[in-house]
Every structure is written in C-alpha cells, then in structure tokens.
Amino acid sequence: MEIRPVRYDHPDAVALDELVQQEYVRRYGDGDMTPLDPEMFTPPHGTYLLAYEDGRPLATGGWRRQEDVAEGYAAGDAEIKRMFVVAQARGRGLARRILAALEADARAAGRTRMVLETGTEQPEAIALYTSSGYRMVTKFGYYRTYEQSRCMAKSLLTD
C-alpha cells in the first residue's frame, strides 16, 4: 500500500471523485455541491492524497485551508474533503491511514484544527471520525443549514 499526494484534478482522483459522487447520490439523492478547485488542495493551502495498491487507486482524501468566519470556520482550520474508499477495499483501515496522513500534513502546514462535514446517512464515517478523536461542533460550510449535515472537529495542537 502506498499513499501519495496528487493533484485534485489527477485522472485517478477524478475517477474516485466520480465514485464518491455516485455514493452520495445513493445515500442522499444528490452529489456534493460544495465548490472545489484543484488549487485548494495545493500546498501550502492543502493536499490531496490517494492510496494505491498494485497501481490501483483505492482510497482518497484531502484537506484544504478554511478560515471563512461567515461560513462558521475559524482561523487555523483545515477542512477534510472527499474521504472515500472503494467498496472492494473497505474494512482494511485505509480511511484511517488517509485520515492520519491528512492530520499530520495539516499540522505540519501550521493548521490548528481539522474540521469536516459528513451526514446522517454515513454512519460508518461518523464512527471513524468519533473513534479518531473528532467531536460534533456547530455546523459550518456549504451544508450548515441542512438537517442531515453533521460537522465535526479535532484539535491538531499537540500537548
């Protein structure tokens, strides 16, 4: 297993993004409408990771700098986007490995809090984040007014 940074518009990232959008449609009836741009995931503004095995992309996730107070973010926030593992590779700890790599990268970039938005129809995501130290917080971002939205955060500051 190899985890490596790629551009958000890399062909493998685009292919996995299409799969995650299909997953959102199945669970919520529509894809994620959050505006995203490849430059949001370019250091030092963020990073985008893919996990590969035998040359096949199996998992993805990225973080982007977010500090828009009007949308509920705080100075120092790094927002997780597009965490996803293909169906045939689930249950192998790939999401946890991507999450740990994203946290380490955001911390190294000087970010102080990791935030994310997920939804009620993704209980496995909520369980992953809760078991990784994330806690529910006041809603922020594009989906902050949606009933199914759940926002979580974790401090990246070390003791």
Side-chain angles (χ1 to χ4, degrees):
M1 178 65 52
E2 176 191 7
I3 296 176
R4 63 181 182 237
V6 300
R7 282 188 50 88
Y8 179 66
D9 55 2
H10 182 281
D12 291 339
V14 170
L16 288 187
D17 189 57
E18 289 172 6
L19 292 176
V20 75
Q21 292 299 331
Q22 292 171 18
E23 186 84 17
Y24 294 149
V25 169
R26 278 194 296 279
R27 293 179 188 227
Y28 298 102
D30 203 355
D32 185 349
M33 305 300 284
T34 306
L36 297 178
D37 180 279
E39 297 310 312
M40 293 175 172
F41 300 101
T42 302
H45 308 290
T47 197
Y48 203 76
L49 303 175
L50 287 181
Y52 287 89
E53 184 175 73
D54 298 326
R56 292 186 15 235
L58 298 180
T60 184
W63 73 265
R64 64 181 181 159
R65 178 184 181 141
Q66 283 289 67
E67 296 184 338
D68 187 347
V69 175
E71 287 199 3
Y73 297 100
D77 278 356
E79 182 182 28
I80 294 173
K81 295 302 293 179
R82 297 299 190 265
M83 285 286 294
F84 179 71
V85 178
V86 298
Q88 60 270 36
R90 292 179 184 160
R92 296 174 45 194
L94 298 179
R96 196 169 298 280
R97 288 180 62 186
I98 292 272
L99 182 61
L102 291 174
E103 290 173 355
D105 189 78
R107 186 178 295 111
R111 302 283 86 198
T112 58
R113 184 175 79 148
M114 190 68 92
V115 299
L116 63 96
E117 187 271 335
T118 189
T120 57
E121 303 307 307
Q122 294 169 270
E124 66 283 1
I126 293 171
L128 167 71
Y129 297 128
T130 300
S131 71
S132 298
Y134 288 77
R135 300 294 171 249
M136 295 292 178
V137 296
T138 303
K139 291 183 181 181
F140 54 81
Y142 186 86
Y143 287 100
R144 66 188 175 278
T145 62
Y146 286 66
E147 178 61 32
Q148 292 179 308
S149 174
R150 298 294 180 267
C151 291
M152 304 179 83
K154 176 182 179 178
S155 174
L156 294 176
L157 299 174
T158 55
D159 295 330

